[in-house]
Amino acid sequence: MSLFRIFINQLEEDDEDMATSKKMITREEWEKKLNAVKLRKEDMNTLVMNFLVTEGYVEAAEKFQRESGTKPEIDLATITDRMAVKKAVQNGNVEDAIEKVNDLNPEILDTNPELFFHLQQQRLIELIRQGKTEEALEFAQEELAPRGEENQAFLEELEKTVALLVFDDASTCPVKELLDLSHRLKTASEVNAAILTSQSHEKDPKLPSLLKMLIWAQTQLDEKAVYPHINDLSTGKLEDPSE
Amino acid sequence: MEIDSATNGNSDTVMTESAATITPSPVVVSSSRSNQFTESLKLEHQLLRVPFEHYKKTIRTNHRSFEKEVSTIVNGVGELADSDWSKDDTVSRLTCLVTRLQGLKRKLEEGSNVENLQAQRCRARIDHLDSVDVENITEWNNTKLKRILVDYMLRMSYFETATKLSESSNIMDLVDIDIFREAKKVIDALKNREVASALTWCADNKTRLKKSKSKFEFQLRLQEFIELVRVDTAESYKKAIQYARKHLASWGTTHMKELQHVLATLAFKSTTECSKYKVLFELRQWDVLVDQFKQEFCKLYGMTMEPLLNIYLQAGLSALKTPYGLEEGCTKEDPLSQENFRKLALPLPFSKQHHSKLVCYISKELMDTENPPQVLPNGYVYSTKALKEMAEKNGGKITCPRTGLVCNYTELVKAYIS
């Protein structure tokens, strides 16, 4: 990544050229410079392991550990538990998910009232989805209303969710996004992130961040030079520079 | 008591140097009078608009019920023509249709009578406005004052008094007692915490309320929902949800924020201490509905929100209100010398005066360059004309009518109006 920085600095020194036109860098020059950059295999393996662990590919992580000798940052057994929680939320089994989180680490929900509220909210949504109106109402009165009183943001979320009770037809409901599966996924991601944080692990894998940085650096460099681009991240293929 | 027609646009205030004496502008030429009438008529929008709106509403209602009835009868005849009924059945059904037609005829006659009465009322008001001229202005203003008083009484629900005054003054066609009675029924029902008659009123005026983007029906529905939640039983919650599905869900597209807020009471219940929801269960919400209805009602008929009496009093008092009028030495002729008027004028702005007009305390005539003011040694100011007359009668001596000071005409100092 520092290669881009070097180029940008070099280009900034050449102010006179800059005033007239962008600097042209040939593919040959570019590849020569890239080849001069050395990457350690261990660093690459750590990045891959980080991705597998964070995204929860437990079996792949075990195999990768065996084959490459790369140690995971956390106990792989906990990944299975974390993924079970995530899957439970994605399937709408929120009660089960809460139980599993507490088995994993009771402090997670105790120290994160927002997450706990969102899980309870998701549970209310599931009860409404199943048409269990009386049960949903009782749950809202006993579990969610007391929490709503403590926090204005929770109150707004609760208002939106309770409104689902009076719309027979979900398609006409102004808050129908709560019934979308994407809302389950959002809650599942939130739980996943909280568990990772409790294990002193980053919420997001490093690999996507590095790719984002690559795109950002290319955008910065576009203002100063014409050079071979990586347009397709999946292949990493260099495209010839075009004026 | 008479009300002088308001002189819109004239911000000159009549007052004396040491005491604000209010005097009506003298009638100089009839053209200025006709201007006054024109200005005054601008304030009579409500007088014509209310019966006209009522008339339109009656025509619409009659037309709707006529179309509905005719459509039913025509369908009935069509069914008879298309089917093979026995002779007896056919006769029996035709008899029913004839009865319906007779009923329709009676309804149309009644409707026509009501329409005629209302058209007559519109005509009476146009004639009344048309009848104003210089000769009968005093009488006309007296009638106007009575109309203003009746309007106030009706808005305050003093119906018997309003009726008595209207009948004895022969102004029944110029006031809107029946319209206010209609409103009173709704107001009384709301005060008794019943929304049925208010909802009926909304249904009767649905088109026009929709046109003015009124939220009144929505607010009534919300209140009914709140009353179901207030009961606080499993059954009442069930009813509340059913009620909301039937009557509130359709408002979601336009009023979702308010709807969400009220629906949340399902979770918080009527016993909540959370102020955001507790307020919804307070009984003063019914007073809010009463106020809301009054506003919608006035808007519908093109009435002013405030009683006309308030508007005229405020206009008059703000035209008369000067800093001097609130001082202790203010003359008795100034209405603001009276405690009650001062109280009413308290929140009003002071009169905007481009030029003061000085009126002589003795002659009650205007002091200007033709008749300049003169100052006595004690500081009191009177007109040259009045002082000259006094001096001629008393051998050159002047006696101040307010303090009794006696001085020579030669001691007077001429004052200049800037």
Short mmCIF file of all heavy atoms in Angstrom, two decimals, chain A residues 85-129:
data_model
loop_
_atom_site.label_atom_id
_atom_site.label_comp_id
_atom_site.label_asym_id
_atom_site.label_seq_id
_atom_site.Cartn_x
_atom_site.Cartn_y
_atom_site.Cartn_z
N VAL A 85 -25.33 -18.65 17.16
CA VAL A 85 -26.13 -17.49 17.60
C VAL A 85 -26.61 -16.72 16.37
O VAL A 85 -27.80 -16.39 16.24
CB VAL A 85 -25.30 -16.55 18.52
CG1 VAL A 85 -26.07 -15.27 18.81
CG2 VAL A 85 -24.92 -17.25 19.81
N LYS A 86 -25.68 -16.46 15.46
CA LYS A 86 -25.99 -15.68 14.26
C LYS A 86 -27.10 -16.37 13.44
O LYS A 86 -28.06 -15.73 13.00
CB LYS A 86 -24.72 -15.53 13.42
CG LYS A 86 -24.81 -14.49 12.31
CD LYS A 86 -23.47 -14.31 11.61
CE LYS A 86 -23.58 -13.30 10.49
NZ LYS A 86 -22.32 -13.13 9.76
N LYS A 87 -26.95 -17.69 13.31
CA LYS A 87 -27.91 -18.46 12.52
C LYS A 87 -29.30 -18.44 13.18
O LYS A 87 -30.32 -18.32 12.50
CB LYS A 87 -27.42 -19.90 12.38
CG LYS A 87 -28.13 -20.66 11.27
CD LYS A 87 -27.53 -22.03 11.06
CE LYS A 87 -28.28 -22.78 9.97
NZ LYS A 87 -27.86 -24.17 9.85
N ALA A 88 -29.30 -18.53 14.52
CA ALA A 88 -30.58 -18.52 15.25
C ALA A 88 -31.33 -17.21 14.98
O ALA A 88 -32.54 -17.22 14.72
CB ALA A 88 -30.33 -18.69 16.74
N VAL A 89 -30.60 -16.09 15.01
CA VAL A 89 -31.25 -14.79 14.75
C VAL A 89 -31.74 -14.74 13.30
O VAL A 89 -32.86 -14.30 13.03
CB VAL A 89 -30.29 -13.61 15.05
CG1 VAL A 89 -30.96 -12.28 14.72
CG2 VAL A 89 -29.86 -13.61 16.51
N GLN A 90 -30.90 -15.20 12.38
CA GLN A 90 -31.27 -15.18 10.96
C GLN A 90 -32.52 -16.02 10.69
O GLN A 90 -33.28 -15.73 9.78
CB GLN A 90 -30.11 -15.68 10.10
CG GLN A 90 -29.01 -14.63 9.95
CD GLN A 90 -27.75 -15.19 9.28
OE1 GLN A 90 -27.58 -16.40 9.19
NE2 GLN A 90 -26.87 -14.31 8.85
N ASN A 91 -32.72 -17.04 11.51
CA ASN A 91 -33.90 -17.90 11.34
C ASN A 91 -35.10 -17.42 12.16
O ASN A 91 -36.16 -18.04 12.14
CB ASN A 91 -33.58 -19.34 11.73
CG ASN A 91 -32.59 -19.97 10.77
OD1 ASN A 91 -32.48 -19.53 9.63
ND2 ASN A 91 -31.87 -20.98 11.22
N GLY A 92 -34.90 -16.36 12.93
CA GLY A 92 -36.00 -15.80 13.72
C GLY A 92 -36.17 -16.45 15.09
O GLY A 92 -37.14 -16.16 15.79
N ASN A 93 -35.21 -17.29 15.49
CA ASN A 93 -35.29 -17.92 16.83
C ASN A 93 -34.54 -17.05 17.84
O ASN A 93 -33.46 -17.41 18.31
CB ASN A 93 -34.68 -19.32 16.81
CG ASN A 93 -35.34 -20.20 15.77
OD1 ASN A 93 -36.54 -20.08 15.54
ND2 ASN A 93 -34.58 -21.07 15.14
N VAL A 94 -35.11 -15.91 18.16
CA VAL A 94 -34.39 -14.92 18.97
C VAL A 94 -34.20 -15.40 20.41
O VAL A 94 -33.13 -15.20 21.00
CB VAL A 94 -35.12 -13.55 18.94
CG1 VAL A 94 -34.33 -12.50 19.68
CG2 VAL A 94 -35.35 -13.11 17.51
N GLU A 95 -35.22 -16.04 20.96
CA GLU A 95 -35.11 -16.54 22.34
C GLU A 95 -33.92 -17.48 22.48
O GLU A 95 -33.11 -17.37 23.41
CB GLU A 95 -36.40 -17.29 22.69
CG GLU A 95 -37.10 -16.73 23.92
CD GLU A 95 -38.40 -17.46 24.19
OE1 GLU A 95 -39.15 -17.74 23.23
OE2 GLU A 95 -38.66 -17.73 25.36
N ASP A 96 -33.82 -18.37 21.51
CA ASP A 96 -32.72 -19.34 21.45
C ASP A 96 -31.38 -18.61 21.35
O ASP A 96 -30.41 -18.96 22.03
CB ASP A 96 -32.96 -20.24 20.23
CG ASP A 96 -31.97 -21.39 20.14
OD1 ASP A 96 -31.53 -21.85 21.21
OD2 ASP A 96 -31.65 -21.82 19.01
N ALA A 97 -31.35 -17.57 20.52
CA ALA A 97 -30.12 -16.80 20.32
C ALA A 97 -29.68 -16.13 21.62
O ALA A 97 -28.50 -16.16 21.98
CB ALA A 97 -30.34 -15.75 19.24
N ILE A 98 -30.64 -15.55 22.35
CA ILE A 98 -30.32 -14.87 23.63
C ILE A 98 -29.73 -15.87 24.62
O ILE A 98 -28.73 -15.59 25.29
CB ILE A 98 -31.58 -14.17 24.20
CG1 ILE A 98 -31.98 -12.99 23.32
CG2 ILE A 98 -31.35 -13.70 25.64
CD1 ILE A 98 -33.30 -12.33 23.66
N GLU A 99 -30.34 -17.04 24.65
CA GLU A 99 -29.86 -18.10 25.55
C GLU A 99 -28.42 -18.48 25.21
O GLU A 99 -27.56 -18.58 26.10
CB GLU A 99 -30.78 -19.32 25.37
CG GLU A 99 -30.95 -20.13 26.65
CD GLU A 99 -32.01 -21.22 26.44
OE1 GLU A 99 -33.19 -20.87 26.25
OE2 GLU A 99 -31.62 -22.39 26.45
N LYS A 100 -28.16 -18.64 23.92
CA LYS A 100 -26.82 -19.03 23.47
C LYS A 100 -25.78 -17.95 23.78
O LYS A 100 -24.65 -18.26 24.17
CB LYS A 100 -26.84 -19.31 21.96
CG LYS A 100 -27.44 -20.67 21.59
CD LYS A 100 -27.35 -20.90 20.09
CE LYS A 100 -27.50 -22.36 19.71
NZ LYS A 100 -28.86 -22.87 19.86
N VAL A 101 -26.17 -16.68 23.60
CA VAL A 101 -25.24 -15.57 23.91
C VAL A 101 -24.90 -15.60 25.39
O VAL A 101 -23.73 -15.45 25.78
CB VAL A 101 -25.85 -14.19 23.53
CG1 VAL A 101 -24.96 -13.05 24.02
CG2 VAL A 101 -26.03 -14.07 22.03
N ASN A 102 -25.91 -15.81 26.22
CA ASN A 102 -25.66 -15.84 27.67
C ASN A 102 -24.79 -17.03 28.07
O ASN A 102 -23.99 -16.92 29.00
CB ASN A 102 -26.99 -15.85 28.43
CG ASN A 102 -27.64 -14.47 28.44
OD1 ASN A 102 -26.96 -13.45 28.38
ND2 ASN A 102 -28.96 -14.43 28.48
N ASP A 103 -24.94 -18.15 27.37
CA ASP A 103 -24.08 -19.31 27.64
C ASP A 103 -22.63 -18.98 27.27
O ASP A 103 -21.69 -19.37 27.96
CB ASP A 103 -24.55 -20.53 26.83
CG ASP A 103 -25.86 -21.09 27.37
OD1 ASP A 103 -26.21 -20.72 28.52
OD2 ASP A 103 -26.53 -21.85 26.65
N LEU A 104 -22.50 -18.27 26.16
CA LEU A 104 -21.18 -17.92 25.65
C LEU A 104 -20.48 -16.93 26.57
O LEU A 104 -19.32 -17.11 26.94
CB LEU A 104 -21.34 -17.32 24.25
CG LEU A 104 -20.13 -17.23 23.34
CD1 LEU A 104 -19.59 -18.62 23.04
CD2 LEU A 104 -20.51 -16.56 22.02
N ASN A 105 -21.21 -15.86 26.93
CA ASN A 105 -20.65 -14.84 27.83
C ASN A 105 -21.80 -13.96 28.34
O ASN A 105 -22.27 -13.09 27.61
CB ASN A 105 -19.61 -14.00 27.08
CG ASN A 105 -18.98 -12.94 27.98
OD1 ASN A 105 -19.39 -12.74 29.12
ND2 ASN A 105 -17.98 -12.25 27.45
N PRO A 106 -22.22 -14.15 29.58
CA PRO A 106 -23.38 -13.40 30.11
C PRO A 106 -23.17 -11.89 30.12
O PRO A 106 -24.12 -11.13 30.12
CB PRO A 106 -23.55 -13.92 31.54
CG PRO A 106 -22.64 -15.09 31.66
CD PRO A 106 -21.63 -15.04 30.59
N GLU A 107 -21.90 -11.47 30.12
CA GLU A 107 -21.62 -10.03 30.20
C GLU A 107 -21.97 -9.30 28.90
O GLU A 107 -22.17 -8.09 28.92
CB GLU A 107 -20.15 -9.80 30.53
CG GLU A 107 -19.88 -9.87 32.02
CD GLU A 107 -18.48 -9.41 32.37
OE1 GLU A 107 -17.79 -8.85 31.49
OE2 GLU A 107 -18.07 -9.63 33.51
N ILE A 108 -22.02 -10.04 27.80
CA ILE A 108 -22.24 -9.38 26.50
C ILE A 108 -23.54 -8.57 26.52
O ILE A 108 -23.54 -7.38 26.18
CB ILE A 108 -22.26 -10.40 25.33
CG1 ILE A 108 -20.87 -11.02 25.17
CG2 ILE A 108 -22.71 -9.74 24.02
CD1 ILE A 108 -20.80 -12.17 24.17
N LEU A 109 -24.63 -9.18 26.95
CA LEU A 109 -25.92 -8.47 26.95
C LEU A 109 -26.04 -7.52 28.13
O LEU A 109 -26.71 -6.50 28.03
CB LEU A 109 -27.08 -9.46 26.92
CG LEU A 109 -27.18 -10.33 25.66
CD1 LEU A 109 -28.37 -11.28 25.74
CD2 LEU A 109 -27.28 -9.49 24.39
N ASP A 110 -25.38 -7.87 29.24
CA ASP A 110 -25.43 -6.99 30.42
C ASP A 110 -24.78 -5.64 30.14
O ASP A 110 -25.24 -4.60 30.62
CB ASP A 110 -24.71 -7.64 31.61
CG ASP A 110 -25.53 -8.79 32.19
OD1 ASP A 110 -26.73 -8.87 31.86
OD2 ASP A 110 -24.97 -9.61 32.95
N THR A 111 -23.71 -5.68 29.37
CA THR A 111 -22.96 -4.44 29.12
C THR A 111 -23.37 -3.75 27.82
O THR A 111 -22.82 -2.72 27.47
CB THR A 111 -21.44 -4.73 29.06
OG1 THR A 111 -21.24 -5.71 28.04
CG2 THR A 111 -20.92 -5.24 30.39
N ASN A 112 -24.32 -4.35 27.11
CA ASN A 112 -24.72 -3.77 25.82
C ASN A 112 -26.25 -3.68 25.74
O ASN A 112 -26.90 -4.47 25.05
CB ASN A 112 -24.16 -4.65 24.69
CG ASN A 112 -24.17 -3.92 23.36
OD1 ASN A 112 -24.93 -2.99 23.15
ND2 ASN A 112 -23.32 -4.37 22.45
N PRO A 113 -26.84 -2.68 26.44
CA PRO A 113 -28.31 -2.58 26.48
C PRO A 113 -28.93 -2.37 25.10
O PRO A 113 -30.04 -2.84 24.84
CB PRO A 113 -28.57 -1.37 27.39
CG PRO A 113 -27.28 -0.63 27.45
CD PRO A 113 -26.20 -1.62 27.25
N GLU A 114 -28.21 -1.71 24.22
CA GLU A 114 -28.74 -1.45 22.88
C GLU A 114 -28.94 -2.76 22.11
O GLU A 114 -29.97 -2.99 21.49
CB GLU A 114 -27.79 -0.53 22.11
CG GLU A 114 -28.41 0.03 20.86
CD GLU A 114 -27.54 1.07 20.17
OE1 GLU A 114 -26.59 1.59 20.80
OE2 GLU A 114 -27.80 1.34 18.99
N LEU A 115 -27.93 -3.63 22.22
CA LEU A 115 -28.01 -4.93 21.54
C LEU A 115 -29.17 -5.75 22.14
O LEU A 115 -29.95 -6.35 21.40
CB LEU A 115 -26.70 -5.70 21.70
CG LEU A 115 -26.72 -7.14 21.21
CD1 LEU A 115 -26.91 -7.20 19.70
CD2 LEU A 115 -25.44 -7.88 21.59
N PHE A 116 -29.26 -5.73 23.47
CA PHE A 116 -30.32 -6.51 24.12
C PHE A 116 -31.70 -6.00 23.68
O PHE A 116 -32.59 -6.79 23.37
CB PHE A 116 -30.18 -6.44 25.64
CG PHE A 116 -31.14 -7.35 26.37
CD1 PHE A 116 -31.26 -8.69 26.01
CD2 PHE A 116 -31.93 -6.87 27.40
CE1 PHE A 116 -32.15 -9.54 26.67
CE2 PHE A 116 -32.83 -7.71 28.05
CZ PHE A 116 -32.93 -9.04 27.69
N PHE A 117 -31.83 -4.67 23.60
CA PHE A 117 -33.10 -4.10 23.16
C PHE A 117 -33.42 -4.54 21.73
O PHE A 117 -34.55 -4.92 21.42
CB PHE A 117 -33.09 -2.57 23.25
CG PHE A 117 -34.38 -1.95 22.78
CD1 PHE A 117 -35.48 -1.87 23.62
CD2 PHE A 117 -34.51 -1.48 21.48
CE1 PHE A 117 -36.68 -1.34 23.18
CE2 PHE A 117 -35.72 -0.94 21.03
CZ PHE A 117 -36.80 -0.87 21.89
N HIS A 118 -32.41 -4.50 20.86
CA HIS A 118 -32.63 -4.88 19.46
C HIS A 118 -33.02 -6.35 19.32
O HIS A 118 -33.83 -6.70 18.46
CB HIS A 118 -31.41 -4.54 18.60
CG HIS A 118 -31.28 -3.08 18.33
ND1 HIS A 118 -30.10 -2.47 18.04
CD2 HIS A 118 -32.22 -2.09 18.32
CE1 HIS A 118 -30.31 -1.18 17.86
NE2 HIS A 118 -31.58 -0.93 18.04
N LEU A 119 -32.45 -7.18 20.17
CA LEU A 119 -32.83 -8.61 20.15
C LEU A 119 -34.28 -8.77 20.61
O LEU A 119 -35.05 -9.52 20.02
CB LEU A 119 -31.89 -9.42 21.05
CG LEU A 119 -30.52 -9.74 20.44
CD1 LEU A 119 -29.57 -10.25 21.50
CD2 LEU A 119 -30.64 -10.77 19.31
N GLN A 120 -34.64 -8.03 21.67
CA GLN A 120 -36.02 -8.10 22.18
C GLN A 120 -36.99 -7.55 21.13
O GLN A 120 -38.08 -8.08 20.94
CB GLN A 120 -36.15 -7.28 23.48
CG GLN A 120 -35.31 -7.80 24.64
CD GLN A 120 -35.93 -9.03 25.28
OE1 GLN A 120 -36.15 -10.04 24.61
NE2 GLN A 120 -36.19 -8.97 26.58
N GLN A 121 -36.56 -6.50 20.46
CA GLN A 121 -37.39 -5.90 19.40
C GLN A 121 -37.60 -6.94 18.28
O GLN A 121 -38.71 -7.10 17.78
CB GLN A 121 -36.69 -4.65 18.84
CG GLN A 121 -37.47 -3.98 17.73
CD GLN A 121 -36.67 -2.92 16.99
OE1 GLN A 121 -35.44 -2.87 17.08
NE2 GLN A 121 -37.34 -2.08 16.23
N GLN A 122 -36.52 -7.64 17.93
CA GLN A 122 -36.61 -8.66 16.88
C GLN A 122 -37.56 -9.77 17.31
O GLN A 122 -38.33 -10.29 16.50
CB GLN A 122 -35.22 -9.22 16.57
CG GLN A 122 -35.16 -10.08 15.31
CD GLN A 122 -35.51 -9.32 14.04
OE1 GLN A 122 -35.01 -8.23 13.79
NE2 GLN A 122 -36.38 -9.89 13.23
N ARG A 123 -37.53 -10.07 18.59
CA ARG A 123 -38.43 -11.11 19.11
C ARG A 123 -39.89 -10.67 18.97
O ARG A 123 -40.76 -11.46 18.58
CB ARG A 123 -38.09 -11.40 20.58
CG ARG A 123 -38.79 -12.63 21.10
CD ARG A 123 -38.33 -12.99 22.47
NE ARG A 123 -39.29 -13.88 23.11
CZ ARG A 123 -39.32 -14.14 24.40
NH1 ARG A 123 -38.44 -13.59 25.21
NH2 ARG A 123 -40.22 -14.95 24.91
N LEU A 124 -40.13 -9.39 19.28
CA LEU A 124 -41.49 -8.84 19.13
C LEU A 124 -41.92 -8.91 17.66
O LEU A 124 -43.05 -9.29 17.35
CB LEU A 124 -41.53 -7.40 19.64
CG LEU A 124 -42.86 -6.65 19.49
CD1 LEU A 124 -43.99 -7.36 20.22
CD2 LEU A 124 -42.74 -5.21 20.01
N ILE A 125 -41.00 -8.57 16.77
CA ILE A 125 -41.30 -8.61 15.32
C ILE A 125 -41.69 -10.03 14.91
O ILE A 125 -42.66 -10.23 14.17
CB ILE A 125 -40.09 -8.11 14.49
CG1 ILE A 125 -39.89 -6.60 14.71
CG2 ILE A 125 -40.28 -8.41 13.00
CD1 ILE A 125 -38.56 -6.06 14.21
N GLU A 126 -40.96 -11.01 15.43
CA GLU A 126 -41.25 -12.41 15.08
C GLU A 126 -42.63 -12.84 15.58
O GLU A 126 -43.37 -13.53 14.89
CB GLU A 126 -40.17 -13.36 15.63
CG GLU A 126 -38.75 -13.10 15.11
CD GLU A 126 -38.63 -13.05 13.60
OE1 GLU A 126 -39.44 -13.69 12.89
OE2 GLU A 126 -37.73 -12.35 13.10
N LEU A 127 -42.99 -12.39 16.79
CA LEU A 127 -44.31 -12.72 17.34
C LEU A 127 -45.41 -12.11 16.48
O LEU A 127 -46.44 -12.74 16.21
CB LEU A 127 -44.44 -12.22 18.79
CG LEU A 127 -43.64 -12.98 19.85
CD1 LEU A 127 -43.63 -12.22 21.17
CD2 LEU A 127 -44.20 -14.39 20.06
N ILE A 128 -45.19 -10.87 16.03
CA ILE A 128 -46.18 -10.19 15.18
C ILE A 128 -46.26 -10.90 13.83
O ILE A 128 -47.35 -11.13 13.29
CB ILE A 128 -45.84 -8.69 15.01
CG1 ILE A 128 -45.98 -7.97 16.35
CG2 ILE A 128 -46.74 -8.03 13.96
CD1 ILE A 128 -45.43 -6.54 16.39
N ARG A 129 -45.09 -11.30 13.30
CA ARG A 129 -45.05 -12.00 12.02
C ARG A 129 -45.88 -13.29 12.08
O ARG A 129 -46.57 -13.65 11.13
CB ARG A 129 -43.59 -12.33 11.67
CG ARG A 129 -43.38 -12.75 10.20
CD ARG A 129 -42.07 -13.49 10.03
NE ARG A 129 -40.91 -12.76 10.48
CZ ARG A 129 -40.28 -11.81 9.77
NH1 ARG A 129 -40.72 -11.48 8.59
NH2 ARG A 129 -39.22 -11.20 10.26
#
